[in-house]
CSV table of all heavy atoms in Angstrom, one decimal:
chain,number,residue,atom,x,y,z
A,212,MET,N,2.5,30.9,-17.3
A,212,MET,CA,1.6,30.1,-18.2
A,212,MET,C,0.2,30.6,-18.0
A,212,MET,O,-0.2,30.7,-16.9
A,212,MET,CB,1.8,28.6,-17.9
A,212,MET,CG,0.9,27.8,-18.8
A,212,MET,SD,0.9,26.0,-18.4
A,212,MET,CE,2.4,25.5,-19.2
A,213,ASN,N,-0.5,30.7,-19.0
A,213,ASN,CA,-1.9,31.1,-19.0
A,213,ASN,C,-2.7,30.0,-18.4
A,213,ASN,O,-2.6,28.8,-18.8
A,213,ASN,CB,-2.4,31.4,-20.4
A,213,ASN,CG,-3.9,31.8,-20.5
A,213,ASN,OD1,-4.6,31.6,-19.5
A,213,ASN,ND2,-4.3,32.3,-21.6
A,214,SER,N,-3.5,30.2,-17.3
A,214,SER,CA,-4.3,29.2,-16.6
A,214,SER,C,-5.3,28.5,-17.5
A,214,SER,O,-5.8,27.4,-17.2
A,214,SER,CB,-4.9,29.7,-15.4
A,214,SER,OG,-5.9,30.7,-15.7
A,215,GLU,N,-5.7,29.2,-18.6
A,215,GLU,CA,-6.7,28.6,-19.5
A,215,GLU,C,-6.1,27.9,-20.7
A,215,GLU,O,-6.8,27.6,-21.6
A,215,GLU,CB,-7.7,29.7,-19.9
A,215,GLU,CG,-8.5,30.2,-18.7
A,215,GLU,CD,-9.5,31.2,-19.1
A,215,GLU,OE1,-10.2,31.0,-20.1
A,215,GLU,OE2,-9.7,32.1,-18.3
A,216,GLN,N,-4.8,27.8,-20.8
A,216,GLN,CA,-4.1,27.2,-21.9
A,216,GLN,C,-4.0,25.7,-21.8
A,216,GLN,O,-3.7,25.2,-20.7
A,216,GLN,CB,-2.7,27.8,-22.0
A,216,GLN,CG,-1.9,27.3,-23.2
A,216,GLN,CD,-0.5,27.9,-23.3
A,216,GLN,OE1,-0.2,28.9,-22.6
A,216,GLN,NE2,0.3,27.3,-24.1
A,217,GLU,N,-4.4,25.0,-22.9
A,217,GLU,CA,-4.3,23.6,-22.9
A,217,GLU,C,-2.8,23.1,-22.8
A,217,GLU,O,-2.0,23.7,-23.4
A,217,GLU,CB,-5.0,23.1,-24.2
A,217,GLU,CG,-4.9,21.6,-24.4
A,217,GLU,CD,-5.5,21.2,-25.7
A,217,GLU,OE1,-6.7,20.9,-25.7
A,217,GLU,OE2,-4.8,21.1,-26.7
A,218,PHE,N,-2.6,22.0,-22.1
A,218,PHE,CA,-1.3,21.4,-22.1
A,218,PHE,C,-1.4,19.9,-21.8
A,218,PHE,O,-2.5,19.4,-21.5
A,218,PHE,CB,-0.3,22.1,-21.2
A,218,PHE,CG,-0.6,21.9,-19.7
A,218,PHE,CD1,-0.1,20.8,-19.0
A,218,PHE,CD2,-1.3,22.8,-19.0
A,218,PHE,CE1,-0.3,20.6,-17.7
A,218,PHE,CE2,-1.6,22.7,-17.7
A,218,PHE,CZ,-1.1,21.6,-17.0
A,219,TYR,N,-0.3,19.2,-21.9
A,219,TYR,CA,-0.3,17.7,-21.7
A,219,TYR,C,0.7,17.5,-20.6
A,219,TYR,O,1.7,18.1,-20.5
A,219,TYR,CB,0.1,17.0,-22.9
A,219,TYR,CG,-0.9,17.2,-24.1
A,219,TYR,CD1,-0.8,18.3,-24.9
A,219,TYR,CD2,-2.0,16.3,-24.2
A,219,TYR,CE1,-1.8,18.5,-25.9
A,219,TYR,CE2,-2.9,16.5,-25.2
A,219,TYR,CZ,-2.8,17.6,-26.1
A,219,TYR,OH,-3.7,17.8,-27.0
A,220,ILE,N,0.4,16.4,-19.7
A,220,ILE,CA,1.2,16.1,-18.6
A,220,ILE,C,1.5,14.6,-18.5
A,220,ILE,O,0.6,13.8,-18.8
A,220,ILE,CB,0.6,16.7,-17.3
A,220,ILE,CG1,1.6,16.5,-16.1
A,220,ILE,CG2,-0.7,16.1,-17.0
A,220,ILE,CD1,1.3,17.3,-14.9
A,221,CYS,N,2.7,14.2,-18.2
A,221,CYS,CA,3.1,12.8,-18.1
A,221,CYS,C,2.6,12.3,-16.8
A,221,CYS,O,2.9,12.9,-15.7
A,221,CYS,CB,4.6,12.7,-18.2
A,221,CYS,SG,5.2,11.0,-17.9
A,222,PRO,N,1.8,11.2,-16.7
A,222,PRO,CA,1.3,10.7,-15.5
A,222,PRO,C,2.4,10.0,-14.6
A,222,PRO,O,2.2,9.7,-13.4
A,222,PRO,CB,0.3,9.7,-15.9
A,222,PRO,CG,0.7,9.2,-17.2
A,222,PRO,CD,1.4,10.4,-17.9
A,223,PHE,N,3.6,9.9,-15.2
A,223,PHE,CA,4.7,9.2,-14.5
A,223,PHE,C,5.6,10.2,-13.8
A,223,PHE,O,5.9,10.2,-12.6
A,223,PHE,CB,5.5,8.3,-15.4
A,223,PHE,CG,6.6,7.5,-14.8
A,223,PHE,CD1,6.3,6.4,-14.0
A,223,PHE,CD2,7.9,7.9,-14.9
A,223,PHE,CE1,7.3,5.7,-13.3
A,223,PHE,CE2,8.9,7.2,-14.3
A,223,PHE,CZ,8.7,6.1,-13.5
A,224,CYS,N,6.1,11.2,-14.6
A,224,CYS,CA,7.1,12.2,-14.1
A,224,CYS,C,6.6,13.6,-14.0
A,224,CYS,O,7.3,14.5,-13.5
A,224,CYS,CB,8.4,12.2,-15.0
A,224,CYS,SG,8.1,12.9,-16.6
A,225,PHE,N,5.3,13.8,-14.5
A,225,PHE,CA,4.7,15.1,-14.4
A,225,PHE,C,5.3,16.2,-15.3
A,225,PHE,O,5.1,17.4,-15.2
A,225,PHE,CB,4.5,15.7,-13.0
A,225,PHE,CG,3.7,14.7,-12.1
A,225,PHE,CD1,4.4,13.9,-11.2
A,225,PHE,CD2,2.4,14.6,-12.3
A,225,PHE,CE1,3.6,13.1,-10.4
A,225,PHE,CE2,1.6,13.7,-11.5
A,225,PHE,CZ,2.3,13.0,-10.5
A,226,PHE,N,6.1,15.7,-16.3
A,226,PHE,CA,6.6,16.6,-17.3
A,226,PHE,C,5.4,17.2,-18.1
A,226,PHE,O,4.5,16.5,-18.5
A,226,PHE,CB,7.6,15.8,-18.3
A,226,PHE,CG,8.0,16.6,-19.5
A,226,PHE,CD1,8.9,17.7,-19.4
A,226,PHE,CD2,7.4,16.4,-20.7
A,226,PHE,CE1,9.3,18.4,-20.5
A,226,PHE,CE2,7.8,17.1,-21.9
A,226,PHE,CZ,8.7,18.1,-21.7
A,227,ALA,N,5.4,18.5,-18.3
A,227,ALA,CA,4.4,19.1,-19.1
A,227,ALA,C,4.9,19.6,-20.4
A,227,ALA,O,6.0,20.0,-20.6
A,227,ALA,CB,3.8,20.3,-18.3
A,228,SER,N,4.0,19.5,-21.4
A,228,SER,CA,4.3,19.9,-22.8
A,228,SER,C,3.1,20.5,-23.5
A,228,SER,O,1.9,20.2,-23.1
A,228,SER,CB,4.8,18.6,-23.6
A,228,SER,OG,4.9,18.9,-24.9
A,229,GLU,N,3.3,21.4,-24.5
A,229,GLU,CA,2.2,21.9,-25.2
A,229,GLU,C,1.7,21.0,-26.3
A,229,GLU,O,0.7,21.2,-26.9
A,229,GLU,CB,2.6,23.3,-25.8
A,229,GLU,CG,2.8,24.3,-24.8
A,229,GLU,CD,3.2,25.7,-25.4
A,229,GLU,OE1,3.4,25.8,-26.6
A,229,GLU,OE2,3.3,26.6,-24.6
A,230,THR,N,2.5,19.9,-26.6
A,230,THR,CA,2.1,18.9,-27.6
A,230,THR,C,2.0,17.5,-26.9
A,230,THR,O,2.7,17.2,-25.9
A,230,THR,CB,3.2,18.8,-28.7
A,230,THR,OG1,4.5,18.5,-28.1
A,230,THR,CG2,3.3,20.1,-29.4
A,231,ASN,N,1.2,16.7,-27.5
A,231,ASN,CA,0.9,15.4,-27.0
A,231,ASN,C,2.0,14.4,-27.6
A,231,ASN,O,1.9,14.0,-28.7
A,231,ASN,CB,-0.5,14.9,-27.3
A,231,ASN,CG,-0.8,13.6,-26.6
A,231,ASN,OD1,0.0,13.1,-25.8
A,231,ASN,ND2,-1.9,13.0,-27.0
A,232,ALA,N,3.0,14.1,-26.8
A,232,ALA,CA,4.0,13.1,-27.2
A,232,ALA,C,4.2,12.1,-26.1
A,232,ALA,O,4.1,12.4,-25.0
A,232,ALA,CB,5.3,13.9,-27.5
A,233,PRO,N,4.5,10.8,-26.5
A,233,PRO,CA,4.7,9.8,-25.5
A,233,PRO,C,5.8,10.2,-24.5
A,233,PRO,O,6.8,10.8,-25.0
A,233,PRO,CB,5.0,8.6,-26.3
A,233,PRO,CG,4.5,8.8,-27.6
A,233,PRO,CD,4.6,10.3,-27.9
A,234,CYS,N,5.7,9.9,-23.3
A,234,CYS,CA,6.7,10.2,-22.3
A,234,CYS,C,6.7,8.9,-21.4
A,234,CYS,O,5.7,8.5,-20.9
A,234,CYS,CB,6.4,11.4,-21.5
A,234,CYS,SG,7.7,12.0,-20.4
A,235,HIS,N,7.9,8.3,-21.2
A,235,HIS,CA,8.1,7.1,-20.4
A,235,HIS,C,7.2,6.0,-21.0
A,235,HIS,O,6.6,5.2,-20.3
A,235,HIS,CB,7.7,7.3,-18.9
A,235,HIS,CG,8.7,8.2,-18.2
A,235,HIS,ND1,8.5,9.6,-18.1
A,235,HIS,CD2,9.9,8.0,-17.7
A,235,HIS,CE1,9.5,10.1,-17.5
A,235,HIS,NE2,10.4,9.2,-17.2
A,236,ASP,N,7.0,6.0,-22.3
A,236,ASP,CA,6.2,5.0,-23.0
A,236,ASP,C,4.8,5.0,-22.6
A,236,ASP,O,4.1,4.0,-22.6
A,236,ASP,CB,6.8,3.6,-22.9
A,236,ASP,CG,8.2,3.5,-23.5
A,236,ASP,OD1,8.4,4.1,-24.6
A,236,ASP,OD2,9.0,2.8,-23.0
A,237,ARG,N,4.3,6.2,-22.2
A,237,ARG,CA,2.9,6.3,-21.7
A,237,ARG,C,2.3,7.5,-22.5
A,237,ARG,O,2.9,8.4,-22.8
A,237,ARG,CB,2.8,6.6,-20.2
A,237,ARG,CG,3.4,5.5,-19.4
A,237,ARG,CD,3.6,5.9,-18.0
A,237,ARG,NE,4.4,4.9,-17.3
A,237,ARG,CZ,4.2,4.4,-16.1
A,237,ARG,NH1,3.1,4.8,-15.5
A,237,ARG,NH2,4.9,3.4,-15.6
A,238,THR,N,1.0,7.4,-22.6
A,238,THR,CA,0.2,8.5,-23.2
A,238,THR,C,0.1,9.7,-22.2
A,238,THR,O,-0.2,9.4,-21.0
A,238,THR,CB,-1.2,8.1,-23.6
A,238,THR,OG1,-1.0,7.0,-24.5
A,238,THR,CG2,-2.0,9.2,-24.3
A,239,MET,N,0.3,10.9,-22.7
A,239,MET,CA,0.2,12.0,-21.7
A,239,MET,C,-1.2,12.3,-21.5
A,239,MET,O,-2.1,12.1,-22.3
A,239,MET,CB,1.0,13.2,-22.3
A,239,MET,CG,2.5,12.9,-22.4
A,239,MET,SD,3.4,14.3,-23.0
A,239,MET,CE,3.6,15.3,-21.5
A,240,ILE,N,-1.5,13.0,-20.4
A,240,ILE,CA,-2.9,13.4,-20.0
A,240,ILE,C,-3.1,14.8,-20.5
A,240,ILE,O,-2.3,15.7,-20.2
A,240,ILE,CB,-3.1,13.3,-18.5
A,240,ILE,CG1,-2.9,11.8,-18.0
A,240,ILE,CG2,-4.5,13.8,-18.1
A,240,ILE,CD1,-2.9,11.7,-16.5
A,241,ARG,N,-4.2,15.0,-21.1
A,241,ARG,CA,-4.6,16.4,-21.6
A,241,ARG,C,-5.2,17.2,-20.6
A,241,ARG,O,-6.2,16.8,-20.0
A,241,ARG,CB,-5.5,16.3,-22.8
A,241,ARG,CG,-5.9,17.6,-23.4
A,241,ARG,CD,-6.9,17.4,-24.6
A,241,ARG,NE,-7.6,18.6,-24.8
A,241,ARG,CZ,-8.8,19.0,-24.3
A,241,ARG,NH1,-9.4,18.2,-23.6
A,241,ARG,NH2,-9.3,20.1,-24.7
A,242,TYR,N,-4.7,18.4,-20.3
A,242,TYR,CA,-5.3,19.4,-19.4
A,242,TYR,C,-6.0,20.4,-20.3
A,242,TYR,O,-5.4,21.1,-21.1
A,242,TYR,CB,-4.3,20.1,-18.6
A,242,TYR,CG,-4.8,21.3,-17.8
A,242,TYR,CD1,-5.6,21.1,-16.7
A,242,TYR,CD2,-4.6,22.6,-18.3
A,242,TYR,CE1,-6.2,22.2,-16.1
A,242,TYR,CE2,-5.1,23.7,-17.6
A,242,TYR,CZ,-5.9,23.5,-16.5
A,242,TYR,OH,-6.4,24.6,-15.9
A,243,PRO,N,-7.4,20.4,-20.3
A,243,PRO,CA,-8.1,21.3,-21.2
A,243,PRO,C,-8.0,22.8,-21.0
A,243,PRO,O,-8.4,23.6,-21.8
A,243,PRO,CB,-9.5,20.8,-21.1
A,243,PRO,CG,-9.6,20.2,-19.8
A,243,PRO,CD,-8.3,19.7,-19.4
A,244,GLY,N,-7.6,23.2,-19.8
A,244,GLY,CA,-7.4,24.6,-19.5
A,244,GLY,C,-8.7,25.2,-19.0
A,244,GLY,O,-9.6,25.7,-19.7
A,245,PHE,N,-8.9,25.1,-17.7
A,245,PHE,CA,-10.0,25.7,-17.0
A,245,PHE,C,-9.7,27.1,-16.5
A,245,PHE,O,-8.6,27.3,-16.1
A,245,PHE,CB,-10.4,24.8,-15.8
A,245,PHE,CG,-10.8,23.4,-16.2
A,245,PHE,CD1,-10.0,22.3,-15.9
A,245,PHE,CD2,-11.9,23.1,-17.0
A,245,PHE,CE1,-10.3,21.0,-16.2
A,245,PHE,CE2,-12.3,21.8,-17.4
A,245,PHE,CZ,-11.4,20.8,-17.0
A,246,PRO,N,-10.7,27.9,-16.4
A,246,PRO,CA,-10.4,29.3,-15.8
A,246,PRO,C,-10.1,29.2,-14.3
A,246,PRO,O,-10.5,28.3,-13.6
A,246,PRO,CB,-11.7,30.0,-16.1
A,246,PRO,CG,-12.8,29.0,-16.3
A,246,PRO,CD,-12.1,27.8,-16.8
A,247,ALA,N,-9.3,30.1,-13.9
A,247,ALA,CA,-8.9,30.2,-12.4
A,247,ALA,C,-10.1,30.2,-11.6
A,247,ALA,O,-11.2,30.8,-11.9
A,247,ALA,CB,-8.1,31.5,-12.2
A,248,GLY,N,-10.1,29.4,-10.5
A,248,GLY,CA,-11.2,29.3,-9.6
A,248,GLY,C,-12.2,28.2,-9.9
A,248,GLY,O,-13.1,27.9,-9.1
A,249,ASP,N,-12.1,27.6,-11.1
A,249,ASP,CA,-13.0,26.5,-11.5
A,249,ASP,C,-12.9,25.4,-10.5
A,249,ASP,O,-11.8,25.0,-10.0
A,249,ASP,CB,-12.6,26.0,-12.9
A,249,ASP,CG,-13.7,25.1,-13.5
A,249,ASP,OD1,-13.9,24.0,-12.9
A,249,ASP,OD2,-14.2,25.4,-14.5
A,250,SER,N,-14.1,24.8,-10.1
A,250,SER,CA,-14.1,23.7,-9.1
A,250,SER,C,-13.3,22.5,-9.5
A,250,SER,O,-12.9,21.7,-8.6
A,250,SER,CB,-15.5,23.4,-8.7
A,250,SER,OG,-16.2,22.8,-9.8
A,251,ARG,N,-13.1,22.3,-10.8
A,251,ARG,CA,-12.4,21.1,-11.3
A,251,ARG,C,-10.9,21.2,-11.0
A,251,ARG,O,-10.2,20.2,-11.1
A,251,ARG,CB,-12.6,20.9,-12.8
A,251,ARG,CG,-14.1,20.5,-13.1
A,251,ARG,CD,-14.4,20.5,-14.5
A,251,ARG,NE,-14.5,21.9,-14.9
A,251,ARG,CZ,-15.0,22.3,-16.1
A,251,ARG,NH1,-15.3,21.4,-17.0
A,251,ARG,NH2,-15.0,23.6,-16.4
A,252,LEU,N,-10.4,22.4,-10.6
A,252,LEU,CA,-9.0,22.6,-10.3
A,252,LEU,C,-8.8,22.2,-8.8
A,252,LEU,O,-7.6,22.1,-8.4
A,252,LEU,CB,-8.6,24.0,-10.5
A,252,LEU,CG,-8.7,24.4,-12.0
A,252,LEU,CD1,-8.4,25.9,-12.1
A,252,LEU,CD2,-7.7,23.6,-12.8
A,253,LYS,N,-9.8,22.1,-8.0
A,253,LYS,CA,-9.7,21.8,-6.6
A,253,LYS,C,-9.6,20.3,-6.3
A,253,LYS,O,-10.1,19.5,-7.1
A,253,LYS,CB,-10.9,22.4,-5.8
A,253,LYS,CG,-10.9,23.9,-6.0
A,253,LYS,CD,-12.2,24.4,-5.3
A,253,LYS,CE,-12.3,26.0,-5.6
A,253,LYS,NZ,-13.5,26.5,-5.0
A,254,PRO,N,-9.1,19.9,-5.2
A,254,PRO,CA,-9.0,18.4,-4.9
A,254,PRO,C,-10.4,17.9,-4.5
A,254,PRO,O,-11.3,18.7,-4.1
A,254,PRO,CB,-8.1,18.4,-3.7
A,254,PRO,CG,-8.2,19.7,-3.0
A,254,PRO,CD,-8.4,20.7,-4.2
A,255,ALA,N,-10.6,16.6,-4.6
A,255,ALA,CA,-11.9,16.0,-4.2
A,255,ALA,C,-11.9,16.0,-2.7
A,255,ALA,O,-11.0,15.7,-2.0
A,255,ALA,CB,-11.9,14.6,-4.7
A,256,MET,N,-13.1,16.5,-2.2
A,256,MET,CA,-13.3,16.6,-0.7
A,256,MET,C,-14.4,15.7,-0.3
A,256,MET,O,-15.4,15.6,-1.0
A,256,MET,CB,-13.6,18.1,-0.4
A,256,MET,CG,-12.6,19.1,-0.9
A,256,MET,SD,-11.1,19.2,0.1
A,256,MET,CE,-11.7,20.1,1.5
A,257,ALA,N,-14.3,15.2,1.0
A,257,ALA,CA,-15.4,14.5,1.6
A,257,ALA,C,-16.4,15.5,2.2
A,257,ALA,O,-16.1,16.7,2.3
A,257,ALA,CB,-14.9,13.6,2.7
A,258,GLU,N,-17.6,15.1,2.4
A,258,GLU,CA,-18.6,16.0,3.0
A,258,GLU,C,-18.1,16.6,4.3
A,258,GLU,O,-18.5,17.7,4.7
A,258,GLU,CB,-19.9,15.2,3.2
A,258,GLU,CG,-20.6,14.9,1.9
A,258,GLU,CD,-22.0,14.3,2.1
A,258,GLU,OE1,-22.6,14.5,3.2
A,258,GLU,OE2,-22.5,13.6,1.2
A,259,SER,N,-17.3,15.9,5.0
A,259,SER,CA,-16.7,16.4,6.3
A,259,SER,C,-15.7,17.4,6.1
A,259,SER,O,-15.3,18.1,7.1
A,259,SER,CB,-16.1,15.2,7.1
A,259,SER,OG,-15.0,14.7,6.4
A,260,GLY,N,-15.3,17.7,4.9
A,260,GLY,CA,-14.3,18.7,4.6
A,260,GLY,C,-12.9,18.1,4.4
A,260,GLY,O,-11.9,18.8,4.1
A,261,ASP,N,-12.7,16.8,4.7
A,261,ASP,CA,-11.4,16.2,4.6
A,261,ASP,C,-11.1,16.0,3.1
A,261,ASP,O,-11.9,15.7,2.3
A,261,ASP,CB,-11.4,14.8,5.3
A,261,ASP,CG,-11.6,14.9,6.8
A,261,ASP,OD1,-11.1,15.9,7.3
A,261,ASP,OD2,-12.1,14.0,7.3
A,262,ILE,N,-9.8,16.2,2.8
A,262,ILE,CA,-9.3,16.0,1.4
A,262,ILE,C,-9.3,14.5,1.1
A,262,ILE,O,-8.6,13.7,1.8
A,262,ILE,CB,-8.0,16.6,1.1
A,262,ILE,CG1,-8.1,18.1,1.3
A,262,ILE,CG2,-7.4,16.3,-0.2
A,262,ILE,CD1,-6.8,18.9,1.2
A,263,LYS,N,-10.0,14.0,0.0
A,263,LYS,CA,-9.9,12.6,-0.4
A,263,LYS,C,-8.6,12.3,-1.1
A,263,LYS,O,-8.1,11.2,-1.0
A,263,LYS,CB,-11.1,12.3,-1.3
A,263,LYS,CG,-12.4,12.2,-0.5
A,263,LYS,CD,-13.5,11.8,-1.5
A,263,LYS,CE,-14.8,11.6,-0.9
A,263,LYS,NZ,-15.8,11.2,-1.8
A,264,THR,N,-8.2,13.3,-2.0
A,264,THR,CA,-7.0,13.1,-2.7
A,264,THR,C,-6.5,14.5,-3.1
A,264,THR,O,-7.2,15.5,-3.2
A,264,THR,CB,-7.2,12.3,-4.0
A,264,THR,OG1,-6.0,12.3,-4.8
A,264,THR,CG2,-8.3,13.0,-4.9
A,265,ARG,N,-5.2,14.6,-3.2
A,265,ARG,CA,-4.6,15.9,-3.5
A,265,ARG,C,-4.7,16.2,-5.0
A,265,ARG,O,-4.4,17.3,-5.5
A,265,ARG,CB,-3.2,16.0,-3.1
A,265,ARG,CG,-3.1,16.1,-1.5
A,265,ARG,CD,-1.6,16.2,-1.1
A,265,ARG,NE,-1.6,16.4,0.3
A,265,ARG,CZ,-1.6,15.5,1.3
A,265,ARG,NH1,-1.7,14.3,0.9
A,265,ARG,NH2,-1.5,15.9,2.5
A,266,MET,N,-5.0,15.2,-5.8
A,266,MET,CA,-5.1,15.3,-7.3
A,266,MET,C,-6.3,16.2,-7.6
A,266,MET,O,-7.4,16.0,-7.0
A,266,MET,CB,-5.3,13.9,-7.9
A,266,MET,CG,-5.1,13.9,-9.4
A,266,MET,SD,-5.3,12.2,-10.0
A,266,MET,CE,-3.8,11.4,-9.2
A,267,PRO,N,-6.2,17.1,-8.6
A,267,PRO,CA,-7.3,17.9,-9.0
A,267,PRO,C,-8.4,17.1,-9.6
A,267,PRO,O,-8.1,16.0,-10.2
A,267,PRO,CB,-6.7,18.9,-9.9
A,267,PRO,CG,-5.5,18.4,-10.4
A,267,PRO,CD,-5.0,17.5,-9.3
A,268,ARG,N,-9.6,17.5,-9.5
A,268,ARG,CA,-10.8,16.7,-10.0
A,268,ARG,C,-10.6,16.4,-11.5
A,268,ARG,O,-11.0,15.4,-12.0
A,268,ARG,CB,-12.1,17.5,-9.8
A,268,ARG,CG,-12.4,17.5,-8.3
A,268,ARG,CD,-13.7,18.2,-8.1
A,268,ARG,NE,-13.9,18.4,-6.7
A,268,ARG,CZ,-14.6,19.3,-6.1
A,268,ARG,NH1,-15.3,20.2,-6.9
A,268,ARG,NH2,-14.8,19.4,-4.8
A,269,TRP,N,-10.1,17.4,-12.3
A,269,TRP,CA,-10.1,17.1,-13.8
A,269,TRP,C,-9.2,15.9,-14.0
A,269,TRP,O,-9.4,15.2,-15.0
A,269,TRP,CB,-9.6,18.4,-14.5
A,269,TRP,CG,-8.1,18.7,-14.3
A,269,TRP,CD1,-7.6,19.6,-13.4
A,269,TRP,CD2,-7.0,18.2,-15.0
A,269,TRP,NE1,-6.3,19.6,-13.5
A,269,TRP,CE2,-5.8,18.8,-14.4
A,269,TRP,CE3,-6.8,17.3,-16.0
A,269,TRP,CZ2,-4.6,18.5,-14.9
A,269,TRP,CZ3,-5.6,17.0,-16.5
A,269,TRP,CH2,-4.4,17.6,-15.9
A,270,MET,N,-8.2,15.7,-13.2
A,270,MET,CA,-7.3,14.5,-13.5
A,270,MET,C,-7.9,13.2,-13.0
A,270,MET,O,-7.6,12.2,-13.6
A,270,MET,CB,-5.9,14.8,-12.8
A,270,MET,CG,-4.8,13.8,-13.2
A,270,MET,SD,-3.3,14.2,-12.4
A,270,MET,CE,-2.6,15.4,-13.4
A,271,LEU,N,-8.8,13.2,-12.1
A,271,LEU,CA,-9.5,12.0,-11.6
A,271,LEU,C,-10.4,11.4,-12.7
A,271,LEU,O,-10.7,10.3,-12.7
A,271,LEU,CB,-10.2,12.3,-10.3
A,271,LEU,CG,-9.4,12.7,-9.1
A,271,LEU,CD1,-10.3,13.1,-8.0
A,271,LEU,CD2,-8.5,11.5,-8.7
A,272,HIS,N,-10.9,12.3,-13.5
A,272,HIS,CA,-11.9,11.8,-14.5
A,272,HIS,C,-11.4,11.6,-15.9
A,272,HIS,O,-12.1,11.5,-16.8
A,272,HIS,CB,-13.1,12.9,-14.6
A,272,HIS,CG,-13.7,13.0,-13.2
A,272,HIS,ND1,-14.6,12.1,-12.7
A,272,HIS,CD2,-13.7,14.0,-12.3
A,272,HIS,CE1,-15.0,12.5,-11.5
A,272,HIS,NE2,-14.5,13.7,-11.3
A,273,VAL,N,-10.1,11.5,-16.0
A,273,VAL,CA,-9.5,11.2,-17.3
A,273,VAL,C,-9.7,9.8,-17.7
A,273,VAL,O,-9.6,8.9,-17.0
A,273,VAL,CB,-7.9,11.5,-17.2
A,273,VAL,CG1,-7.2,11.1,-18.5
A,273,VAL,CG2,-7.6,12.9,-16.9
A,274,GLN,N,-10.1,9.7,-19.0
A,274,GLN,CA,-10.3,8.3,-19.6
A,274,GLN,C,-9.0,7.8,-20.0
A,274,GLN,O,-8.2,8.4,-20.6
A,274,GLN,CB,-11.2,8.4,-20.8
A,274,GLN,CG,-12.6,9.0,-20.5
A,274,GLN,CD,-13.6,8.0,-20.0
A,274,GLN,OE1,-13.4,6.8,-20.3
A,274,GLN,NE2,-14.5,8.4,-19.2
A,275,ALA,N,-8.7,6.6,-19.6
A,275,ALA,CA,-7.4,5.9,-20.0
A,275,ALA,C,-7.5,5.4,-21.3
A,275,ALA,O,-8.5,5.1,-21.9
A,275,ALA,CB,-7.1,4.8,-19.0
């Protein structure tokens, strides 16, 4: 899959699709397609270097 290609992901089962369709009666989250190495693809880190969450930054800022 092209790393810059947009896709949608189910927040419940992580099923990915090229189209936005309900999955598990939930709205899928849109991944806008960031270039490889973009800081939004990395997990949130504390100043000490500890990982705050394994979720990539782009997913943390999704509007519900």
